[in-house]
Amino acid sequence: MKVLIFLGSTRESQPPKPSRLGARVATALLSHFKEEYADDDVELIDPLDYPTGEVFKPHFAYASGSAPKELDALADKIQRADAYVMVSPEYNHSLSPALAHLLNHFGSSLYAYKPSLIVTYSAGQWGGVRAAIGMRAFLSELGCLPVSAMIHVPRAADVLDSEGQCHPQQNTEKWKSYWQRGSSQLLWWAEAVRQHREVVDPHKLIGNFTHDPQQRNAPD
Ligand SMILES: Cc1cc2nc3c(=O)[nH]c(=O)nc-3n(C[C@H](O)[C@H](O)[C@H](O)COP(=O)(O)O)c2cc1C
């Protein structure tokens, strides 16, 4: 099973402190998956590793063979993955622009027919739940349907240290079991759809939208 954990933060600014709080949450999830699912291939995807630039040009808009090699590599990883963990802060009650921007670089056919797990966090008390609601629609449109369990981390700097470990005053066992509920659902679905993808190729059965948004329209 191949799992990609997307870190939805590129923020360098302070305040609010600390910057890039999301790195703690994504690292905690990465450690959890590595500990609990040692046989699986789990990788952290950091938006800072990809040349997404100021001007938006999605990977699918490049002529064949002319896209930046990093985007080619990420497209390949997304296509080969069985499941996604989407880690986002809440910015103005929405998912992070860094996460949306990175995900928007790739067509839905690469993500489709695989499950995703929504993980949100915030500096404050709500843990990003309002962002999470919007993420359900966003991820559903990409075709990587979110499982019902979600992970929300309020006051994330008080929960996790800079290494992604729970602070000593936290109930580590409770946090582990909270991660576990989300990861178990994700991997259950991932295994189920992986098996079925091997029996029936959804891309052949259903067909992908490839070039024209009007392909989605109801008949005139
Ligand atoms: C532009 C901006 C908008 C924010 N909006 C919210 C918000 O709507 N709800 C919330 O709980 N926190 C909000 N915050 C606080 C974030 O939860 C906090 O800054 C967190 O550290 C962001 O994650 P990051 O450091 O990984 O970027 C906002 C922060 C910024 C910079």
Side-chain angles (χ1 to χ4, degrees), residues 141-174:
E141 173 58 11
L142 286 182
C144 50
L145 305 186
V147 299
S148 70
M150 294 194 275
I151 292 174
H152 311 295
V153 188
R155 301 184 190 91
D158 296 339
V159 176
L160 298 166
D161 66 18
S162 56
E163 306 298 315
Q165 300 289 322
C166 281
H167 286 298
Q169 69 273 23
Q170 292 291 324
N171 187 328
T172 306
E173 289 311 308
K174 277 196 174 170

PDB file of all heavy atoms in Angstrom, residues 141-174:
ATOM      1  N   GLU A 141     -14.439  16.213  -5.446  1.00  0.00           N
ATOM      2  CA  GLU A 141     -14.322  16.609  -6.846  1.00  0.00           C
ATOM      3  C   GLU A 141     -13.065  16.012  -7.479  1.00  0.00           C
ATOM      4  O   GLU A 141     -13.051  15.683  -8.664  1.00  0.00           O
ATOM      5  CB  GLU A 141     -14.330  18.143  -6.958  1.00  0.00           C
ATOM      6  CG  GLU A 141     -14.060  18.702  -8.337  1.00  0.00           C
ATOM      7  CD  GLU A 141     -15.033  18.210  -9.404  1.00  0.00           C
ATOM      8  OE1 GLU A 141     -16.051  17.586  -9.078  1.00  0.00           O
ATOM      9  OE2 GLU A 141     -14.745  18.432 -10.601  1.00  0.00           O
ATOM     10  N   LEU A 142     -12.012  15.859  -6.697  1.00  0.00           N
ATOM     11  CA  LEU A 142     -10.798  15.210  -7.219  1.00  0.00           C
ATOM     12  C   LEU A 142     -10.985  13.695  -7.361  1.00  0.00           C
ATOM     13  O   LEU A 142     -10.153  13.018  -7.953  1.00  0.00           O
ATOM     14  CB  LEU A 142      -9.597  15.476  -6.313  1.00  0.00           C
ATOM     15  CG  LEU A 142      -8.994  16.877  -6.372  1.00  0.00           C
ATOM     16  CD1 LEU A 142      -7.784  16.952  -5.451  1.00  0.00           C
ATOM     17  CD2 LEU A 142      -8.589  17.261  -7.787  1.00  0.00           C
ATOM     18  N   GLY A 143     -12.053  13.184  -6.782  1.00  0.00           N
ATOM     19  CA  GLY A 143     -12.321  11.751  -6.903  1.00  0.00           C
ATOM     20  C   GLY A 143     -11.691  10.907  -5.809  1.00  0.00           C
ATOM     21  O   GLY A 143     -11.884   9.694  -5.783  1.00  0.00           O
ATOM     22  N   CYS A 144     -10.922  11.542  -4.902  1.00  0.00           N
ATOM     23  CA  CYS A 144     -10.351  10.764  -3.776  1.00  0.00           C
ATOM     24  C   CYS A 144     -11.256  11.011  -2.573  1.00  0.00           C
ATOM     25  O   CYS A 144     -11.017  11.882  -1.747  1.00  0.00           O
ATOM     26  CB  CYS A 144      -8.902  11.136  -3.499  1.00  0.00           C
ATOM     27  SG  CYS A 144      -8.555  12.891  -3.329  1.00  0.00           S
ATOM     28  N   LEU A 145     -12.307  10.225  -2.487  1.00  0.00           N
ATOM     29  CA  LEU A 145     -13.376  10.482  -1.526  1.00  0.00           C
ATOM     30  C   LEU A 145     -12.861  10.385  -0.098  1.00  0.00           C
ATOM     31  O   LEU A 145     -12.201   9.409   0.268  1.00  0.00           O
ATOM     32  CB  LEU A 145     -14.511   9.482  -1.728  1.00  0.00           C
ATOM     33  CG  LEU A 145     -15.100   9.412  -3.140  1.00  0.00           C
ATOM     34  CD1 LEU A 145     -16.308   8.481  -3.161  1.00  0.00           C
ATOM     35  CD2 LEU A 145     -15.486  10.781  -3.666  1.00  0.00           C
ATOM     36  N   PRO A 146     -13.183  11.405   0.723  1.00  0.00           N
ATOM     37  CA  PRO A 146     -12.713  11.364   2.121  1.00  0.00           C
ATOM     38  C   PRO A 146     -13.492  10.333   2.934  1.00  0.00           C
ATOM     39  O   PRO A 146     -14.707  10.222   2.798  1.00  0.00           O
ATOM     40  CB  PRO A 146     -13.012  12.775   2.650  1.00  0.00           C
ATOM     41  CG  PRO A 146     -13.413  13.588   1.466  1.00  0.00           C
ATOM     42  CD  PRO A 146     -13.890  12.653   0.407  1.00  0.00           C
ATOM     43  N   VAL A 147     -12.781   9.588   3.766  1.00  0.00           N
ATOM     44  CA  VAL A 147     -13.452   8.656   4.680  1.00  0.00           C
ATOM     45  C   VAL A 147     -14.191   9.476   5.738  1.00  0.00           C
ATOM     46  O   VAL A 147     -13.951  10.676   5.900  1.00  0.00           O
ATOM     47  CB  VAL A 147     -12.445   7.677   5.325  1.00  0.00           C
ATOM     48  CG1 VAL A 147     -11.761   6.831   4.261  1.00  0.00           C
ATOM     49  CG2 VAL A 147     -11.425   8.404   6.193  1.00  0.00           C
ATOM     50  N   SER A 148     -15.093   8.799   6.462  1.00  0.00           N
ATOM     51  CA  SER A 148     -15.940   9.577   7.386  1.00  0.00           C
ATOM     52  C   SER A 148     -15.158  10.096   8.589  1.00  0.00           C
ATOM     53  O   SER A 148     -15.407  11.197   9.080  1.00  0.00           O
ATOM     54  CB  SER A 148     -17.140   8.752   7.842  1.00  0.00           C
ATOM     55  OG  SER A 148     -16.722   7.716   8.684  1.00  0.00           O
ATOM     56  N   ALA A 149     -14.198   9.326   9.074  1.00  0.00           N
ATOM     57  CA  ALA A 149     -13.398   9.805  10.221  1.00  0.00           C
ATOM     58  C   ALA A 149     -12.540  10.985   9.774  1.00  0.00           C
ATOM     59  O   ALA A 149     -12.015  10.982   8.658  1.00  0.00           O
ATOM     60  CB  ALA A 149     -12.509   8.684  10.738  1.00  0.00           C
ATOM     61  N   MET A 150     -12.439  11.960  10.640  1.00  0.00           N
ATOM     62  CA  MET A 150     -11.546  13.090  10.363  1.00  0.00           C
ATOM     63  C   MET A 150     -10.696  13.312  11.607  1.00  0.00           C
ATOM     64  O   MET A 150     -11.076  12.934  12.711  1.00  0.00           O
ATOM     65  CB  MET A 150     -12.334  14.365  10.061  1.00  0.00           C
ATOM     66  CG  MET A 150     -13.132  14.296   8.776  1.00  0.00           C
ATOM     67  SD  MET A 150     -13.706  15.924   8.240  1.00  0.00           S
ATOM     68  CE  MET A 150     -15.200  16.097   9.182  1.00  0.00           C
ATOM     69  N   ILE A 151      -9.557  13.943  11.397  1.00  0.00           N
ATOM     70  CA  ILE A 151      -8.675  14.281  12.518  1.00  0.00           C
ATOM     71  C   ILE A 151      -8.580  15.793  12.596  1.00  0.00           C
ATOM     72  O   ILE A 151      -8.297  16.453  11.584  1.00  0.00           O
ATOM     73  CB  ILE A 151      -7.280  13.647  12.317  1.00  0.00           C
ATOM     74  CG1 ILE A 151      -7.390  12.121  12.435  1.00  0.00           C
ATOM     75  CG2 ILE A 151      -6.268  14.213  13.306  1.00  0.00           C
ATOM     76  CD1 ILE A 151      -6.109  11.362  12.127  1.00  0.00           C
ATOM     77  N   HIS A 152      -8.867  16.339  13.772  1.00  0.00           N
ATOM     78  CA  HIS A 152      -8.763  17.790  13.986  1.00  0.00           C
ATOM     79  C   HIS A 152      -7.863  18.018  15.196  1.00  0.00           C
ATOM     80  O   HIS A 152      -8.070  17.381  16.235  1.00  0.00           O
ATOM     81  CB  HIS A 152     -10.132  18.412  14.252  1.00  0.00           C
ATOM     82  CG  HIS A 152     -11.176  17.994  13.264  1.00  0.00           C
ATOM     83  ND1 HIS A 152     -11.115  18.323  11.931  1.00  0.00           N
ATOM     84  CD2 HIS A 152     -12.292  17.236  13.412  1.00  0.00           C
ATOM     85  CE1 HIS A 152     -12.160  17.796  11.297  1.00  0.00           C
ATOM     86  NE2 HIS A 152     -12.887  17.126  12.164  1.00  0.00           N
ATOM     87  N   VAL A 153      -6.909  18.897  15.060  1.00  0.00           N
ATOM     88  CA  VAL A 153      -5.976  19.151  16.164  1.00  0.00           C
ATOM     89  C   VAL A 153      -6.074  20.625  16.574  1.00  0.00           C
ATOM     90  O   VAL A 153      -5.461  21.491  15.958  1.00  0.00           O
ATOM     91  CB  VAL A 153      -4.527  18.803  15.770  1.00  0.00           C
ATOM     92  CG1 VAL A 153      -3.615  18.891  16.991  1.00  0.00           C
ATOM     93  CG2 VAL A 153      -4.448  17.421  15.139  1.00  0.00           C
ATOM     94  N   PRO A 154      -6.871  20.912  17.614  1.00  0.00           N
ATOM     95  CA  PRO A 154      -6.929  22.291  18.114  1.00  0.00           C
ATOM     96  C   PRO A 154      -5.656  22.619  18.888  1.00  0.00           C
ATOM     97  O   PRO A 154      -5.002  21.711  19.413  1.00  0.00           O
ATOM     98  CB  PRO A 154      -8.133  22.300  19.062  1.00  0.00           C
ATOM     99  CG  PRO A 154      -8.690  20.919  19.062  1.00  0.00           C
ATOM    100  CD  PRO A 154      -7.709  20.010  18.393  1.00  0.00           C
ATOM    101  N   ARG A 155      -5.309  23.879  18.933  1.00  0.00           N
ATOM    102  CA  ARG A 155      -4.119  24.340  19.684  1.00  0.00           C
ATOM    103  C   ARG A 155      -2.943  23.409  19.405  1.00  0.00           C
ATOM    104  O   ARG A 155      -2.312  22.852  20.322  1.00  0.00           O
ATOM    105  CB  ARG A 155      -4.410  24.381  21.189  1.00  0.00           C
ATOM    106  CG  ARG A 155      -5.567  25.296  21.557  1.00  0.00           C
ATOM    107  CD  ARG A 155      -5.745  25.366  23.071  1.00  0.00           C
ATOM    108  NE  ARG A 155      -6.978  26.048  23.429  1.00  0.00           N
ATOM    109  CZ  ARG A 155      -8.148  25.424  23.615  1.00  0.00           C
ATOM    110  NH1 ARG A 155      -8.241  24.111  23.504  1.00  0.00           N
ATOM    111  NH2 ARG A 155      -9.221  26.130  23.933  1.00  0.00           N
ATOM    112  N   ALA A 156      -2.647  23.251  18.130  1.00  0.00           N
ATOM    113  CA  ALA A 156      -1.691  22.202  17.726  1.00  0.00           C
ATOM    114  C   ALA A 156      -0.314  22.385  18.348  1.00  0.00           C
ATOM    115  O   ALA A 156       0.387  21.397  18.595  1.00  0.00           O
ATOM    116  CB  ALA A 156      -1.594  22.148  16.206  1.00  0.00           C
ATOM    117  N   ALA A 157       0.088  23.637  18.618  1.00  0.00           N
ATOM    118  CA  ALA A 157       1.416  23.852  19.217  1.00  0.00           C
ATOM    119  C   ALA A 157       1.462  23.353  20.660  1.00  0.00           C
ATOM    120  O   ALA A 157       2.540  23.030  21.172  1.00  0.00           O
ATOM    121  CB  ALA A 157       1.789  25.327  19.153  1.00  0.00           C
ATOM    122  N   ASP A 158       0.297  23.290  21.317  1.00  0.00           N
ATOM    123  CA  ASP A 158       0.258  22.768  22.688  1.00  0.00           C
ATOM    124  C   ASP A 158       0.196  21.237  22.704  1.00  0.00           C
ATOM    125  O   ASP A 158       0.450  20.609  23.725  1.00  0.00           O
ATOM    126  CB  ASP A 158      -0.974  23.299  23.441  1.00  0.00           C
ATOM    127  CG  ASP A 158      -0.915  24.810  23.622  1.00  0.00           C
ATOM    128  OD1 ASP A 158       0.204  25.358  23.535  1.00  0.00           O
ATOM    129  OD2 ASP A 158      -1.982  25.427  23.810  1.00  0.00           O
ATOM    130  N   VAL A 159      -0.204  20.672  21.570  1.00  0.00           N
ATOM    131  CA  VAL A 159      -0.328  19.211  21.495  1.00  0.00           C
ATOM    132  C   VAL A 159       0.991  18.575  21.054  1.00  0.00           C
ATOM    133  O   VAL A 159       1.429  17.578  21.628  1.00  0.00           O
ATOM    134  CB  VAL A 159      -1.455  18.826  20.498  1.00  0.00           C
ATOM    135  CG1 VAL A 159      -1.534  17.311  20.321  1.00  0.00           C
ATOM    136  CG2 VAL A 159      -2.800  19.386  20.957  1.00  0.00           C
ATOM    137  N   LEU A 160       1.629  19.183  20.034  1.00  0.00           N
ATOM    138  CA  LEU A 160       2.795  18.550  19.401  1.00  0.00           C
ATOM    139  C   LEU A 160       4.017  19.454  19.491  1.00  0.00           C
ATOM    140  O   LEU A 160       3.909  20.680  19.298  1.00  0.00           O
ATOM    141  CB  LEU A 160       2.483  18.274  17.925  1.00  0.00           C
ATOM    142  CG  LEU A 160       1.320  17.302  17.670  1.00  0.00           C
ATOM    143  CD1 LEU A 160       0.882  17.372  16.215  1.00  0.00           C
ATOM    144  CD2 LEU A 160       1.713  15.880  18.046  1.00  0.00           C
ATOM    145  N   ASP A 161       5.181  18.838  19.705  1.00  0.00           N
ATOM    146  CA  ASP A 161       6.413  19.623  19.692  1.00  0.00           C
ATOM    147  C   ASP A 161       6.942  19.723  18.261  1.00  0.00           C
ATOM    148  O   ASP A 161       6.327  19.207  17.315  1.00  0.00           O
ATOM    149  CB  ASP A 161       7.445  19.038  20.669  1.00  0.00           C
ATOM    150  CG  ASP A 161       7.943  17.652  20.258  1.00  0.00           C
ATOM    151  OD1 ASP A 161       7.770  17.267  19.079  1.00  0.00           O
ATOM    152  OD2 ASP A 161       8.498  16.951  21.116  1.00  0.00           O
ATOM    153  N   SER A 162       8.093  20.344  18.113  1.00  0.00           N
ATOM    154  CA  SER A 162       8.598  20.597  16.758  1.00  0.00           C
ATOM    155  C   SER A 162       9.032  19.311  16.048  1.00  0.00           C
ATOM    156  O   SER A 162       9.244  19.312  14.839  1.00  0.00           O
ATOM    157  CB  SER A 162       9.758  21.591  16.801  1.00  0.00           C
ATOM    158  OG  SER A 162      10.755  21.080  17.658  1.00  0.00           O
ATOM    159  N   GLU A 163       9.129  18.209  16.792  1.00  0.00           N
ATOM    160  CA  GLU A 163       9.451  16.907  16.171  1.00  0.00           C
ATOM    161  C   GLU A 163       8.189  16.104  15.865  1.00  0.00           C
ATOM    162  O   GLU A 163       8.271  14.949  15.452  1.00  0.00           O
ATOM    163  CB  GLU A 163      10.329  16.067  17.119  1.00  0.00           C
ATOM    164  CG  GLU A 163      11.591  16.760  17.600  1.00  0.00           C
ATOM    165  CD  GLU A 163      12.516  17.091  16.439  1.00  0.00           C
ATOM    166  OE1 GLU A 163      12.700  16.217  15.581  1.00  0.00           O
ATOM    167  OE2 GLU A 163      13.028  18.222  16.393  1.00  0.00           O
ATOM    168  N   GLY A 164       7.024  16.705  16.131  1.00  0.00           N
ATOM    169  CA  GLY A 164       5.773  15.977  15.903  1.00  0.00           C
ATOM    170  C   GLY A 164       5.437  14.992  17.004  1.00  0.00           C
ATOM    171  O   GLY A 164       4.570  14.122  16.838  1.00  0.00           O
ATOM    172  N   GLN A 165       6.112  15.102  18.149  1.00  0.00           N
ATOM    173  CA  GLN A 165       5.812  14.235  19.307  1.00  0.00           C
ATOM    174  C   GLN A 165       4.834  14.949  20.224  1.00  0.00           C
ATOM    175  O   GLN A 165       4.910  16.178  20.365  1.00  0.00           O
ATOM    176  CB  GLN A 165       7.090  13.965  20.104  1.00  0.00           C
ATOM    177  CG  GLN A 165       8.198  13.285  19.333  1.00  0.00           C
ATOM    178  CD  GLN A 165       7.877  11.828  19.035  1.00  0.00           C
ATOM    179  OE1 GLN A 165       7.292  11.140  19.862  1.00  0.00           O
ATOM    180  NE2 GLN A 165       8.242  11.380  17.855  1.00  0.00           N
ATOM    181  N   CYS A 166       3.954  14.179  20.887  1.00  0.00           N
ATOM    182  CA  CYS A 166       3.047  14.798  21.855  1.00  0.00           C
ATOM    183  C   CYS A 166       3.846  15.371  23.018  1.00  0.00           C
ATOM    184  O   CYS A 166       4.777  14.716  23.514  1.00  0.00           O
ATOM    185  CB  CYS A 166       2.065  13.764  22.399  1.00  0.00           C
ATOM    186  SG  CYS A 166       0.706  13.416  21.297  1.00  0.00           S
ATOM    187  N   HIS A 167       3.474  16.575  23.446  1.00  0.00           N
ATOM    188  CA  HIS A 167       4.098  17.143  24.640  1.00  0.00           C
ATOM    189  C   HIS A 167       3.797  16.233  25.837  1.00  0.00           C
ATOM    190  O   HIS A 167       2.750  15.565  25.870  1.00  0.00           O
ATOM    191  CB  HIS A 167       3.523  18.544  24.912  1.00  0.00           C
ATOM    192  CG  HIS A 167       4.022  19.585  23.957  1.00  0.00           C
ATOM    193  ND1 HIS A 167       5.350  19.940  23.846  1.00  0.00           N
ATOM    194  CD2 HIS A 167       3.358  20.365  23.060  1.00  0.00           C
ATOM    195  CE1 HIS A 167       5.488  20.895  22.940  1.00  0.00           C
ATOM    196  NE2 HIS A 167       4.300  21.162  22.443  1.00  0.00           N
ATOM    197  N   PRO A 168       4.703  16.222  26.843  1.00  0.00           N
ATOM    198  CA  PRO A 168       4.529  15.304  27.989  1.00  0.00           C
ATOM    199  C   PRO A 168       3.189  15.455  28.706  1.00  0.00           C
ATOM    200  O   PRO A 168       2.654  14.470  29.227  1.00  0.00           O
ATOM    201  CB  PRO A 168       5.683  15.687  28.922  1.00  0.00           C
ATOM    202  CG  PRO A 168       6.674  16.415  28.076  1.00  0.00           C
ATOM    203  CD  PRO A 168       5.939  17.013  26.917  1.00  0.00           C
ATOM    204  N   GLN A 169       2.639  16.672  28.722  1.00  0.00           N
ATOM    205  CA  GLN A 169       1.371  16.846  29.456  1.00  0.00           C
ATOM    206  C   GLN A 169       0.163  16.301  28.696  1.00  0.00           C
ATOM    207  O   GLN A 169      -0.947  16.243  29.243  1.00  0.00           O
ATOM    208  CB  GLN A 169       1.147  18.323  29.835  1.00  0.00           C
ATOM    209  CG  GLN A 169       0.865  19.270  28.688  1.00  0.00           C
ATOM    210  CD  GLN A 169       2.149  19.830  28.038  1.00  0.00           C
ATOM    211  OE1 GLN A 169       3.211  19.230  28.135  1.00  0.00           O
ATOM    212  NE2 GLN A 169       2.029  20.967  27.372  1.00  0.00           N
ATOM    213  N   GLN A 170       0.375  15.895  27.445  1.00  0.00           N
ATOM    214  CA  GLN A 170      -0.738  15.370  26.644  1.00  0.00           C
ATOM    215  C   GLN A 170      -0.972  13.895  26.955  1.00  0.00           C
ATOM    216  O   GLN A 170      -0.036  13.175  27.350  1.00  0.00           O
ATOM    217  CB  GLN A 170      -0.412  15.515  25.145  1.00  0.00           C
ATOM    218  CG  GLN A 170      -0.381  16.947  24.664  1.00  0.00           C
ATOM    219  CD  GLN A 170      -1.770  17.589  24.662  1.00  0.00           C
ATOM    220  OE1 GLN A 170      -2.773  16.928  24.377  1.00  0.00           O
ATOM    221  NE2 GLN A 170      -1.812  18.872  24.980  1.00  0.00           N
ATOM    222  N   ASN A 171      -2.188  13.442  26.700  1.00  0.00           N
ATOM    223  CA  ASN A 171      -2.485  12.018  26.832  1.00  0.00           C
ATOM    224  C   ASN A 171      -2.125  11.335  25.503  1.00  0.00           C
ATOM    225  O   ASN A 171      -2.933  11.238  24.578  1.00  0.00           O
ATOM    226  CB  ASN A 171      -3.972  11.827  27.172  1.00  0.00           C
ATOM    227  CG  ASN A 171      -4.280  10.376  27.478  1.00  0.00           C
ATOM    228  OD1 ASN A 171      -3.666   9.467  26.921  1.00  0.00           O
ATOM    229  ND2 ASN A 171      -5.218  10.159  28.382  1.00  0.00           N
ATOM    230  N   THR A 172      -0.884  10.880  25.427  1.00  0.00           N
ATOM    231  CA  THR A 172      -0.353  10.339  24.170  1.00  0.00           C
ATOM    232  C   THR A 172      -1.180   9.160  23.669  1.00  0.00           C
ATOM    233  O   THR A 172      -1.428   9.025  22.469  1.00  0.00           O
ATOM    234  CB  THR A 172       1.115   9.909  24.376  1.00  0.00           C
ATOM    235  OG1 THR A 172       1.830  11.021  24.907  1.00  0.00           O
ATOM    236  CG2 THR A 172       1.765   9.492  23.083  1.00  0.00           C
ATOM    237  N   GLU A 173      -1.623   8.310  24.580  1.00  0.00           N
ATOM    238  CA  GLU A 173      -2.400   7.131  24.165  1.00  0.00           C
ATOM    239  C   GLU A 173      -3.705   7.546  23.488  1.00  0.00           C
ATOM    240  O   GLU A 173      -4.121   6.949  22.500  1.00  0.00           O
ATOM    241  CB  GLU A 173      -2.688   6.216  25.364  1.00  0.00           C
ATOM    242  CG  GLU A 173      -1.464   5.481  25.872  1.00  0.00           C
ATOM    243  CD  GLU A 173      -0.684   4.793  24.734  1.00  0.00           C
ATOM    244  OE1 GLU A 173      -1.309   4.051  23.961  1.00  0.00           O
ATOM    245  OE2 GLU A 173       0.541   5.002  24.628  1.00  0.00           O
ATOM    246  N   LYS A 174      -4.330   8.587  24.039  1.00  0.00           N
ATOM    247  CA  LYS A 174      -5.589   9.046  23.427  1.00  0.00           C
ATOM    248  C   LYS A 174      -5.337   9.621  22.040  1.00  0.00           C
ATOM    249  O   LYS A 174      -6.119   9.419  21.110  1.00  0.00           O
ATOM    250  CB  LYS A 174      -6.258  10.099  24.317  1.00  0.00           C
ATOM    251  CG  LYS A 174      -7.073   9.502  25.425  1.00  0.00           C
ATOM    252  CD  LYS A 174      -8.007  10.539  26.028  1.00  0.00           C
ATOM    253  CE  LYS A 174      -8.935   9.889  27.041  1.00  0.00           C
ATOM    254  NZ  LYS A 174      -9.698  10.832  27.818  1.00  0.00           N
TER     255      LYS A 174
END
